[in-house]
Amino acid sequence: MSLNHTGQLVAEAWEWPAVQYPYVALDEYVIMPNHLHGLIAITDHGRGGSRTAPMSVGRKPLGRLIGAFKTVTSKRVNLARNTLGQPVWQRNYYEHVVRNDESLTRIRQYILDNPARWPFDRENPLGSETGAGG
């Protein structure tokens, strides 16, 4: 997958939270023509037990991080395309808590393999009609 200008805008916005927030770390990710797959680690530095409130002020939960990413990229993409106000992303997002190393390895591989599956993706306008989703 080679990123066009729009893809570069998305990549810059995706990488920004890890620079801005010390509790955010990015793992594997891939930007596809019509979606993105990525692993985000939110560390628990500064927290006690599982029922303890966060000690740091201004810490954003995953939903707010994704919302900020979508807002920033939508504005930048629409400005670049001269399509102000047009939707860029679907309304929600899919999340999955990775609970062990085996799952993490499997998900990383899925992300890395996703570009090779794009020709068969049912959302690919040039893809195979018999392909499964990517």
Side-chain angles (χ1 to χ4, degrees):
M1 235 3 98
S2 296
L3 297 180
N4 60 16
H5 179 66
T6 301
Q8 290 290 342
L9 293 174
V10 172
E12 289 168 11
W14 182 255
E15 293 171 359
W16 183 81
V19 174
Q20 179 68 19
Y21 303 109
Y23 56 88
V24 174
L26 299 179
D27 200 298
E28 294 293 345
Y29 73 93
V30 64
I31 298 166
M32 300 295 291
N34 66 345
H35 65 281
L36 176 145
H37 292 281
L39 286 163
I40 300 174
I42 299 178
T43 62
D44 285 332
H45 300 301
R47 292 190 66 169
S50 63
R51 296 184 185 267
T52 306
M55 296 180 68
S56 59
V57 176
R59 183 181 168 116
K60 292 184 182 188
L62 179 61
R64 294 217 24 228
L65 290 169
I66 298 297
F69 161 75
K70 286 182 172 185
T71 297
V72 168
T73 54
S74 292
K75 287 180 182 179
R76 290 179 182 175
V77 166
N78 280 324
L79 186 61
R81 292 179 178 171
N82 197 25
T83 56
L84 299 180
Q86 293 297 310
V88 173
W89 300 105
Q90 67 185 27
R91 184 179 174 110
N92 211 335
Y93 66 97
Y94 175 79
E95 69 178 71
H96 173 79
V97 177
V98 179
R99 301 198 182 274
N100 57 50
D101 288 341
E102 180 183 332
S103 180
L104 179 59
T105 299
R106 183 178 42 77
I107 293 167
R108 281 177 176 153
Q109 194 61 54
Y110 176 85
I111 290 169
L112 293 171
D113 291 344
N114 209 258
R117 289 190 301 273
W118 176 243
F120 308 104
D121 191 308
R122 66 178 161 256
E123 298 294 328
N124 180 350
L126 302 175
S128 167
E129 292 182 34
T130 61

